Amino acid sequence: MSDQMLTVLVWRGTADKGRYIEYKVRGLENHTVLDVVTYIQRYLEPTLSYRFSCRVGMCGSCAMTVNGKPRWTCRSSVSKVAPGGKLKIAPLRSMKIIKDLSVEMSEFFDKLARAEGRFHPTSNRQNDFNHVKPDSVKRRLASDGIECIGCGICYASCDLVAWKSNYLGPAALNRAWTLVNDVRDGAHRKRLNAVAGDAGCHACHSQQGCVESCPKNLNPTASIAGLKRVTAIAVLKGELD
Amino acid sequence: MNDLDGASNPAIETKLWLAQRISAVILALMVFVHLGTIMYAVRDGLTAAEIIDRVGGHLGWALFYGLFVAALAVHAPIGIRAILAEITALPRKRIDLLCFMAAVLIAYLGYRVVRDFYALGSIA
């Protein structure tokens, strides 16, 4: 894409009251979607609300819906996601809109806690180091899901989250799976009880919208399938309440 | 939906999931045999007499379709239960009751067909 005028539709307002407003922005070859939103806020619409922090794909704060798909805007090049020069930017789905492109994410993070996404240590500084072999099966399974940046893109892309608001969602269940495979963690049973059930892993349809959209190329569906396996074994052993 | 509808029971939900997966495996194998038999049986056209001749009074087929019906009565209502919980605002207990009734209905109707076909063998 050579430099061109971009037609950018941006959601302004809240979920109840809002609409798309059109802006014209001169797009450069190396522009990201976040660059475009930042340009609009700095030069065209100072009251535009949006969220970002690191700009390099680490913090997970700049996720928005771009041309219908949830994306990390700081690493989404305009030339790739909108080759025709037309951008439609909306807040993430399944989250309450605070204003414009900023969404309320507390429900998303509460669900990480509800899925026992917290590490429960079994040793303290008096103990020797835990020795976890890098090539052990559990360490590898944990590593497969560990790079989540909590951007909420998988959550917004999940149809089940949209249909069933108490569903824990791909990010929380993926986090739980990494801890299920953490041999140092001491809350195995408690966590399996937290993720089993109709708001947890068993509700997942394996549609893989999360896999499709995860900017870190993680596979939350595989993590959820892992949880289904271990909870099934746990229930046969009588370990679920 | 059904956010404030009480916490679900992890053990029961997991058992239901397991029951649905196991019944799915049984059904997958049986549907294969079922469809294979149909394709074989209709090669010269299809008549009621031919079906009764094959299935009627045959204990093997009665047991086969008896298990088929049982697997279906387990599998389908659990799936319907999940769908109803997702797309309707019905209370959880109401959904459970409806799905239990669906299970009983499927089992009863299926059992009647298997029983009657088996009984037809003594007439033929």
Side-chain angles (χ1 to χ4, degrees):
Chain A
M1 182 188 81
S2 55
D3 301 356
Q4 62 170 320
M5 282 310 281
L6 302 170
T7 306
V8 190
L9 288 167
V10 179
W11 180 262
R12 301 294 321 273
T14 61
D16 305 327
K17 201 181 171 199
R19 64 194 171 103
Y20 287 98
I21 309 267
E22 188 179 300
Y23 302 95
K24 295 280 185 192
V25 178
R26 194 167 69 88
L28 302 177
E29 177 77 44
N30 57 355
H31 259 171
T32 65
V33 176
L34 184 63
D35 290 334
V36 171
V37 174
T38 300
Y39 180 89
I40 292 171
Q41 201 240 26
R42 285 198 185 158
Y43 300 105
L44 306 174
E45 190 63 78
T47 61
L48 176 68
S49 299
Y50 67 109
R51 192 185 281 133
F52 76 99
S53 181
C54 75
R55 298 170 294 124
V56 289
M58 287 170 69
C59 73
S61 21
C62 68
M64 299 169 200
T65 308
V66 182
N67 288 359
K69 284 187 179 174
R71 293 183 183 280
W72 52 354
T73 54
C74 71
R75 303 273 284 174
S76 297
S77 155
V78 173
S79 57
K80 276 189 188 150
V81 300
K86 284 188 178 172
L87 275 172
K88 192 175 186 183
I89 305 171
L92 284 182
R93 188 170 71 138
S94 299
M95 296 184 199
K96 199 178 147 212
I97 303 168
I98 299 170
K99 179 178 169 283
D100 305 336
L101 302 170
S102 304
V103 288
E104 164 66 82
M105 292 185 80
S106 39
E107 177 77 5
F108 170 75
F109 290 115
D110 284 348
K111 285 178 177 177
L112 282 165
R114 230 181 289 160
E116 280 303 329
R118 185 171 74 83
F119 176 61
H120 294 260
T122 46
S123 53
N124 56 36
R125 62 199 172 102
Q126 314 300 336
N127 301 103
D128 187 17
F129 287 112
N130 278 290
H131 299 279
V132 182
K133 284 200 170 138
D135 58 349
S136 66
V137 174
K138 286 208 155 192
R139 173 67 242 196
R140 277 202 211 149
L141 287 172
S143 296
D144 286 345
I146 209 77
E147 294 292 341
C148 175
I149 55 172
C151 61
I153 286 176
C154 59
Y155 189 83
S157 72
C158 177
D159 282 340
L160 191 56
V161 170
W163 295 332
K164 188 172 173 154
S165 57
N166 65 344
Y167 174 52
L168 292 171
L173 293 169
N174 178 72
R175 171 66 184 154
W177 175 241
T178 62
L179 288 167
V180 162
N181 288 295
D182 192 330
V183 292
R184 304 164 305 158
D185 186 273
H188 191 68
R189 189 168 175 158
K190 192 177 176 194
R191 185 168 299 107
L192 292 189
N193 273 294
V195 299
D198 72 329
C201 63
H202 296 110
C204 171
H205 292 251
S206 310
Q207 260 176 237
Q208 305 185 53
C210 52
V211 184
E212 183 72 24
S213 64
C214 176
K216 300 289 287 182
N217 291 320
L218 304 184
N219 189 339
T221 307
S223 301
I224 295 169
L227 289 175
K228 287 174 180 172
R229 271 198 312 279
V230 293
T231 49
I233 294 166
V235 80
L236 294 175
K237 286 183 180 169
E239 289 174 0
L240 294 185
D241 302 331
Chain B
M1 287 175 205
N2 303 328
D3 267 11
L4 305 168
D5 218 12
S8 72
N9 182 317
I12 290 177
E13 294 296 331
T14 309
K15 279 178 189 166
L16 284 173
W17 179 83
L18 204 53
Q20 204 195 20
R21 288 304 181 276
I22 292 167
S23 56
V25 172
I26 294 170
L27 282 171
L29 296 171
M30 294 190 118
V31 165
F32 191 72
V33 174
H34 176 68
L35 291 177
T37 309
I38 290 174
M39 279 151 88
Y40 171 76
V42 298
R43 71 201 185 286
D44 300 321
L46 187 66
T47 63
E50 193 191 325
I51 297 171
I52 295 165
D53 188 44
R54 182 175 59 253
V55 185
H58 193 293
L59 185 65
W61 280 119
L63 290 174
F64 177 85
Y65 281 109
L67 182 61
F68 195 114
V69 167
L72 203 64
V74 170
H75 188 82
I78 300 173
I80 294 169
R81 181 175 176 268
I83 294 167
L84 288 179
E86 278 166 25
I87 66 169
T88 71
L90 288 171
R92 193 87 232 186
K93 281 184 179 166
R94 181 83 49 88
I95 292 173
D96 286 347
L97 181 67
L98 281 173
C99 292
F100 180 73
M101 285 162 62
V104 171
L105 188 69
I106 292 168
Y108 173 67
L109 293 177
Y111 161 75
R112 261 184 35 169
V113 173
V114 174
R115 183 197 64 189
D116 291 352
F117 262 103
Y118 184 67
L120 279 170
S122 56
I123 301 166

